[in-house]
Short mmCIF file of all heavy atoms in Angstrom, two decimals:
data_model
loop_
_atom_site.label_atom_id
_atom_site.label_comp_id
_atom_site.label_asym_id
_atom_site.label_seq_id
_atom_site.Cartn_x
_atom_site.Cartn_y
_atom_site.Cartn_z
N GLU R 4 0.80 8.89 1.26
CA GLU R 4 1.64 10.08 1.27
C GLU R 4 0.87 11.25 1.85
O GLU R 4 -0.33 11.41 1.62
CB GLU R 4 2.09 10.42 -0.15
CG GLU R 4 2.96 11.67 -0.23
CD GLU R 4 3.48 11.94 -1.63
OE1 GLU R 4 3.54 10.98 -2.43
OE2 GLU R 4 3.81 13.10 -1.92
N ARG R 60 -3.62 20.72 2.17
CA ARG R 60 -3.18 19.46 1.59
C ARG R 60 -3.58 19.37 0.12
O ARG R 60 -4.56 19.97 -0.27
CB ARG R 60 -3.78 18.29 2.36
CG ARG R 60 -5.33 18.31 2.35
CD ARG R 60 -5.95 17.21 3.15
NE ARG R 60 -5.65 15.90 2.66
CZ ARG R 60 -6.44 15.23 1.80
NH1 ARG R 60 -7.54 15.79 1.29
NH2 ARG R 60 -6.11 14.03 1.43
N GLU R 61 -2.93 18.63 -0.64
CA GLU R 61 -1.57 18.12 -0.64
C GLU R 61 -0.74 19.14 -1.41
O GLU R 61 -1.05 19.45 -2.56
CB GLU R 61 -1.51 16.77 -1.33
CG GLU R 61 -2.46 15.71 -0.77
CD GLU R 61 -1.97 15.18 0.58
OE1 GLU R 61 -0.76 15.30 0.87
OE2 GLU R 61 -2.79 14.67 1.34
N ARG R 67 4.24 17.02 -9.87
CA ARG R 67 3.66 15.84 -9.22
C ARG R 67 2.16 16.02 -9.04
O ARG R 67 1.63 15.91 -7.95
CB ARG R 67 4.34 15.60 -7.87
CG ARG R 67 5.83 15.43 -7.98
CD ARG R 67 6.43 14.99 -6.65
NE ARG R 67 5.87 13.72 -6.24
CZ ARG R 67 5.22 13.53 -5.09
NH1 ARG R 67 5.04 14.53 -4.25
NH2 ARG R 67 4.75 12.34 -4.78
N ARG R 68 1.45 16.31 -10.11
CA ARG R 68 0.01 16.54 -10.03
C ARG R 68 -0.71 15.65 -11.03
O ARG R 68 -0.47 15.78 -12.23
CB ARG R 68 -0.31 18.00 -10.30
CG ARG R 68 0.44 18.96 -9.38
CD ARG R 68 0.20 20.40 -9.74
NE ARG R 68 -1.19 20.79 -9.49
CZ ARG R 68 -1.66 22.00 -9.78
NH1 ARG R 68 -0.87 22.90 -10.34
NH2 ARG R 68 -2.91 22.30 -9.53
N PRO R 69 -1.64 14.76 -10.62
CA PRO R 69 -1.93 14.42 -9.22
C PRO R 69 -0.82 13.56 -8.62
O PRO R 69 0.14 13.22 -9.31
CB PRO R 69 -3.23 13.62 -9.33
CG PRO R 69 -3.14 12.98 -10.68
CD PRO R 69 -2.44 13.98 -11.56
N LEU R 70 -0.96 13.22 -7.33
CA LEU R 70 0.07 12.44 -6.67
C LEU R 70 0.26 11.10 -7.37
O LEU R 70 -0.69 10.43 -7.74
CB LEU R 70 -0.29 12.17 -5.20
CG LEU R 70 -0.19 13.35 -4.23
CD1 LEU R 70 -0.43 12.86 -2.82
CD2 LEU R 70 1.16 14.04 -4.32
N ARG R 71 1.52 10.74 -7.53
CA ARG R 71 1.84 9.45 -8.11
C ARG R 71 1.22 8.34 -7.26
O ARG R 71 1.20 8.43 -6.04
CB ARG R 71 3.37 9.29 -8.14
CG ARG R 71 3.86 8.01 -8.76
CD ARG R 71 5.36 7.95 -8.68
NE ARG R 71 5.82 8.04 -7.30
CZ ARG R 71 6.94 7.48 -6.86
NH1 ARG R 71 7.69 6.81 -7.68
NH2 ARG R 71 7.30 7.61 -5.61
N TRP R 72 0.73 7.31 -7.87
CA TRP R 72 0.15 6.13 -7.25
C TRP R 72 -1.25 6.38 -6.71
O TRP R 72 -2.19 5.69 -7.05
CB TRP R 72 1.03 5.57 -6.12
CG TRP R 72 2.45 5.32 -6.47
CD1 TRP R 72 3.55 5.96 -5.97
CD2 TRP R 72 2.97 4.35 -7.40
NE1 TRP R 72 4.69 5.48 -6.53
CE2 TRP R 72 4.37 4.48 -7.41
CE3 TRP R 72 2.37 3.40 -8.23
CZ2 TRP R 72 5.19 3.69 -8.20
CZ3 TRP R 72 3.19 2.62 -9.02
CH2 TRP R 72 4.57 2.77 -9.00
N THR R 73 -1.42 7.37 -5.82
CA THR R 73 -2.70 7.51 -5.14
C THR R 73 -3.71 8.29 -5.97
O THR R 73 -4.92 8.13 -5.76
CB THR R 73 -2.53 8.22 -3.79
OG1 THR R 73 -2.06 9.56 -4.04
CG2 THR R 73 -1.53 7.50 -2.91
N GLY R 74 -3.26 9.16 -6.88
CA GLY R 74 -4.18 9.95 -7.68
C GLY R 74 -4.81 11.11 -6.95
O GLY R 74 -5.71 11.76 -7.47
N GLU R 75 -4.35 11.41 -5.71
CA GLU R 75 -4.90 12.54 -4.96
C GLU R 75 -4.67 13.85 -5.71
O GLU R 75 -3.62 14.08 -6.29
CB GLU R 75 -4.21 12.64 -3.59
CG GLU R 75 -4.67 11.61 -2.59
CD GLU R 75 -5.79 12.13 -1.72
OE1 GLU R 75 -6.37 13.18 -2.03
OE2 GLU R 75 -6.08 11.47 -0.72
N GLU R 76 -5.68 14.72 -5.70
CA GLU R 76 -5.50 16.04 -6.27
C GLU R 76 -4.55 16.85 -5.39
O GLU R 76 -4.48 16.66 -4.18
CB GLU R 76 -6.85 16.75 -6.39
CG GLU R 76 -7.75 16.15 -7.45
CD GLU R 76 -7.10 16.17 -8.84
OE1 GLU R 76 -6.46 17.18 -9.18
OE2 GLU R 76 -7.23 15.17 -9.56
N THR R 77 -3.81 17.76 -6.01
CA THR R 77 -2.80 18.51 -5.28
C THR R 77 -2.88 19.99 -5.62
O THR R 77 -3.56 20.40 -6.56
CB THR R 77 -1.39 18.01 -5.64
OG1 THR R 77 -1.13 18.29 -7.03
CG2 THR R 77 -1.24 16.52 -5.37
N LEU R 207 -6.12 6.68 5.85
CA LEU R 207 -6.72 6.73 4.52
C LEU R 207 -8.22 7.01 4.60
O LEU R 207 -8.80 7.60 3.68
CB LEU R 207 -6.47 5.42 3.78
CG LEU R 207 -5.03 5.17 3.32
CD1 LEU R 207 -4.90 3.76 2.76
CD2 LEU R 207 -4.61 6.19 2.27
N TRP R 211 -11.93 13.91 4.98
CA TRP R 211 -11.43 15.27 4.73
C TRP R 211 -12.52 16.23 4.28
O TRP R 211 -12.49 17.42 4.61
CB TRP R 211 -10.31 15.22 3.69
CG TRP R 211 -9.01 14.76 4.26
CD1 TRP R 211 -8.39 13.56 4.06
CD2 TRP R 211 -8.16 15.49 5.16
NE1 TRP R 211 -7.22 13.49 4.78
CE2 TRP R 211 -7.06 14.67 5.46
CE3 TRP R 211 -8.24 16.75 5.74
CZ2 TRP R 211 -6.03 15.07 6.31
CZ3 TRP R 211 -7.22 17.16 6.59
CH2 TRP R 211 -6.13 16.32 6.86
#
Side-chain angles (χ1 to χ4, degrees):
E4 179 176 338
R60 60 182 297 267
E61 305 286 338
R67 303 188 61 238
R68 304 175 67 183
L70 287 186
R71 182 182 58 150
W72 308 114
T73 64
E75 284 266 13
E76 290 302 319
T77 65
L207 289 173
W211 282 108

